[in-house]
């Protein structure tokens, strides 16, 4: 347990260091670089890169380099973006934004694959249920990772316009490279085993969509993108900034990050007693209540506490989506984890792109109705998947893709 926990903590603190720097830079792009729309263009190309990389790169890079080195290489893309901000221009920000976008999907897919394999391996060693240990590991990860929002926003709020130190990104790369133990998969374990072709691996993200469950579950990450985009773009601008001023935005986001962080580790522990359906129900009801209340509420500066209550409750629900979605994808598509998590990042990025795309020309109340509709469809689709799982508890995953990773629940390299 100590060894597995050590690796979980290394990944978690690596992401904390990386995103403490990157989170502050991302949130200030449109404010720092307004001239000729450089900041907005940089963010647009970034998400375009995420969409493109999600389609093809994660399974390919994870198969070639393994989870550890995929994380290291992808983190270097984030560091390059930070360096591009030192000499911000069209010739530095746009190329590094594309590079970051290309690295984002492999980074998150490798992280999710690593934690899933590590949790399943540890569960097998100690005689526990795999999904319970995986849930705990994701809870620990998001406890530490989401706190990056606290530190990044605290720095930006106390010294407005100042971004967190970019040196933490370099420390993140060194931490992972030096202290994270690599995962040994079936291809490394059995030299004589027939390997999947380059094109089969490249297209595995799309091939997995032949599974009906995945086609239904794409709404979960899409909604995650919608709701995060609403909080970051609309709640902070149309509610907090309009009523309280821009200097309160950072503090409101700190409240979101803090509750998100604490609830993540709580859900990781609770899930083994309540099951995932109860937690999804909690997340859906909490967001539903917030959306309805925001439709009825008329913000006023005298209601200071209410602004923090909404962001805190949003964090309570978002922690459900961040922890349970990743665990659900890892459990249902255990033999195709890399392709499953690549799909997750693809559809979440698409949710972000759509939400940011209509953000500038739709009224806030229309966005809330859209959010309400997407949430309703998401929970309906999720309910159908749970019904299918209850009806066919022993159903296999997509057979055509299981051969290369049949023994992917692996041991850590000694």
């Amino acid at each position: 347990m100590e060894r597995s926990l050590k690796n979980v903590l290394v990944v978690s603190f690596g992401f904390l260091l990386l995103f403490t720097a990157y989170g502050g830079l991302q949130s200030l792009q449109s404010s720092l670089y307004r001239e000729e729309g450089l900041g907005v263009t940089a963010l647009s190309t970034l998400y375009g890169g995420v969409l493109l990389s999600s389609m093809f790169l994660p399974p390919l890079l994870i198969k070639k380099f393994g989870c550890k080195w995929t994380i290291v290489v992808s983190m270097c893309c984030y560091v390059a973006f930070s360096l591009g901000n030192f000499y911000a221009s069209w010739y530095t920000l746009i190329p590094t934004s594309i590079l970051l976008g290309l690295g984002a999907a492999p980074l998150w897919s490798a992280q999710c694959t690593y934690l899933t394999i590590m949790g399943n391996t540890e569960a097998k060693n100690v005689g526990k249920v795999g999904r319970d240990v995986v849930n705990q590991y994701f809870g620990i990860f998001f406890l530490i990772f989401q706190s990056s929002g606290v530190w990044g926003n605290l720095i930006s709020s106390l010294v407005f316009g100042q971004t967190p130190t970019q040196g933490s990104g370099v420390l993140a790369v060194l931490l992972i490279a030096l202290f994270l133990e690599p995962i040994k998969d079936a291809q490394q374990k059995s030299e004589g085993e027939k390997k999947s072709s380059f094109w089969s691996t490249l297209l595995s993200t799309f091939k997995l969509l032949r599974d009906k469950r995945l086609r239904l579950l794409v709404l979960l990450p899409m909604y995650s993108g919608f709701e995060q985009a609403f909080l970051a773009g609309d709640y902070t601008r149309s509610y907090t900034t309009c009523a309280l001023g821009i200097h309160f935005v950072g503090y409101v986001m700190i409240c979101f990050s803090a509750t998100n962080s604490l609830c993540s580790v709580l859900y990781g522990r609770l899930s083994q007693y309540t099951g995932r359906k109860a937690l999804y129900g909690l997340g859906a009801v909490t967001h539903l209540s917030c959306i309805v209340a925001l439709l009825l509420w008329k913000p006023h500066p005298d209601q200071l506490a209410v602004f923090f209550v909404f962001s805190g409750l949003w964090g309570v629900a978002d922690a459900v989506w961040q922890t349970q979605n990743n665990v659900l994808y890892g459990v249902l598509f255990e033999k195709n984890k890399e392709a499953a998590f690549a799909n997750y990042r693809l559809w979440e990025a698409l949710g972000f792109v759509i939400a940011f795309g209509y953000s500038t020309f739709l009224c806030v109340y229309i966005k809330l109705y859209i959010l309400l509709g997407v949430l309703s469809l998401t929970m309906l689709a999720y309910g159908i998947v749970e019904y299918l799982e209850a009806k066919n508890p022993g159903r296999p995953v997509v057979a055509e893709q299981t051969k290369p990773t049949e023994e992917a629940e692996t041991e850590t390299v000694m």
Side-chain angles (χ1 to χ4, degrees):
M1 177 65 177
E2 291 79 8
R3 185 178 177 187
S4 297
L5 183 59
K6 185 268 290 185
N7 285 303
V8 174
L9 292 175
V10 169
V11 172
S12 303
F13 279 103
F15 274 66
L16 170 64
L17 289 170
L18 184 70
F19 281 87
T20 296
Y22 167 70
L25 282 174
Q26 183 192 33
S27 62
L28 292 173
Q29 285 297 299
S30 58
S31 300
L32 292 176
Y33 311 123
R34 294 179 181 177
E35 185 178 355
E36 298 180 3
L38 175 57
V40 174
T41 304
L43 289 176
S44 301
T45 54
L46 189 159
Y47 281 108
V50 174
L51 284 173
L52 183 63
S53 69
S54 299
M55 295 177 189
F56 306 107
L57 292 183
L60 198 64
L61 293 180
I62 293 172
K63 178 187 174 183
K64 180 68 175 177
F65 301 111
C67 291
K68 172 182 175 176
W69 294 109
T70 298
I71 292 174
V72 171
V73 171
S74 300
M75 282 184 165
C76 290
C77 297
Y78 282 73
V79 174
F81 178 75
S82 299
L83 294 175
N85 276 265
F86 278 116
Y87 304 99
S89 71
W90 288 92
Y91 301 103
T92 58
L93 275 187
I94 301 304
T96 54
S97 294
I98 296 173
L99 188 63
L100 189 155
L102 294 176
L107 175 72
W108 283 101
S109 298
Q111 172 265 333
C112 292
T113 301
Y114 189 94
L115 291 186
T116 301
I117 293 176
M118 187 65 67
N120 285 327
T121 303
E122 178 63 20
K124 189 180 298 183
N125 292 337
V126 299
K128 292 184 178 180
V129 179
R131 65 174 177 271
D132 292 340
V133 179
V134 173
N135 235 316
Q136 291 179 22
Y137 284 178
F138 273 104
I140 293 170
F141 171 81
F142 280 106
L143 166 70
I144 297 169
F145 165 72
Q146 292 289 5
S147 69
S148 65
V150 176
W151 312 123
N153 280 297
L154 189 61
I155 293 172
S156 297
S157 297
L158 293 177
V159 188
F160 180 70
Q162 298 297 312
T163 56
T165 174
Q166 280 78 28
S168 62
V170 178
L171 292 177
V173 174
L174 293 175
L175 179 66
I176 299 295
L178 295 176
F179 297 105
L180 186 67
E181 298 179 50
I183 293 290
K184 186 177 181 180
D185 62 18
Q187 287 81 8
Q188 296 168 319
K189 191 175 181 180
S190 178
E191 292 293 332
E193 184 180 356
K194 182 181 178 181
K195 299 181 181 180
S196 57
S197 68
F198 169 83
W199 291 107
S200 177
T201 303
L202 186 69
L203 299 174
S204 60
T205 300
F206 295 105
K207 289 168 66 177
L208 193 60
L209 284 168
R210 288 180 293 188
D211 192 318
K212 180 180 180 180
R213 297 169 302 167
L214 182 59
R215 295 198 299 272
L216 288 167
L217 287 177
V218 297
L219 285 172
L220 275 174
M222 276 193 73
Y223 175 73
S224 176
F226 273 96
E227 58 92 4
Q228 290 181 74
F230 176 82
L231 181 76
D234 295 299
Y235 181 75
T236 54
R237 181 177 63 247
S238 301
Y239 288 88
T240 306
T241 301
C242 285
L244 301 178
I246 194 171
H247 54 284
F248 270 95
V249 169
Y251 296 112
V252 168
M253 293 303 292
I254 286 172
C255 184
F256 164 78
S257 298
T259 56
N260 200 325
S261 178
L262 293 174
C263 287
S264 293
V265 71
L266 176 63
Y267 299 156
R269 293 288 182 180
L270 280 179
S271 61
Q272 59 185 309
Y273 305 109
T274 64
R276 63 178 178 241
K277 291 188 284 291
L279 292 178
Y280 272 114
L282 172 64
V285 169
T286 303
H287 264 174
L288 175 65
S289 302
C290 287
I291 292 169
V292 172
L294 286 171
L295 283 168
L296 300 174
W297 182 46
K298 297 188 182 299
H300 192 277
D302 293 338
Q303 302 169 322
L304 180 63
V306 180
F307 292 89
F308 291 91
V309 169
F310 273 118
S311 64
L313 288 174
W314 209 267
V316 169
D318 184 69
V320 173
W321 315 126
Q322 301 311 315
T323 57
Q324 300 309 303
N325 285 358
N326 284 292
V327 175
L328 181 64
Y329 269 61
V331 169
L332 294 188
F333 310 104
E334 188 175 356
K335 304 298 183 182
N336 303 284
K337 290 181 285 292
E338 298 89 348
F341 289 126
N343 265 288
Y344 184 93
R345 296 305 153 193
L346 169 63
W347 296 103
E348 184 179 50
L350 184 60
F352 271 110
V353 169
I354 294 173
F356 283 133
Y358 64 58
S359 178
T360 56
F361 61 85
L362 291 182
C363 297
V364 176
Y365 79 92
I366 295 178
K367 298 173 191 175
L368 285 169
Y369 280 122
I370 291 174
L371 207 57
L372 186 61
V374 175
L375 174 60
S376 302
L377 289 175
T378 298
M379 296 314 296
L380 176 61
Y382 165 72
I384 294 173
V385 172
E386 288 289 7
Y387 170 76
L388 293 175
E389 285 300 293
K391 188 177 178 181
N392 303 288
R395 71 185 303 170
V397 294
V398 179
E400 292 87 346
Q401 298 187 57
T402 58
K403 288 184 179 180
T405 53
E406 190 71 35
E407 299 171 2
E409 290 66 50
T410 59
E411 300 174 356
T412 312
V413 174
M414 299 299 290

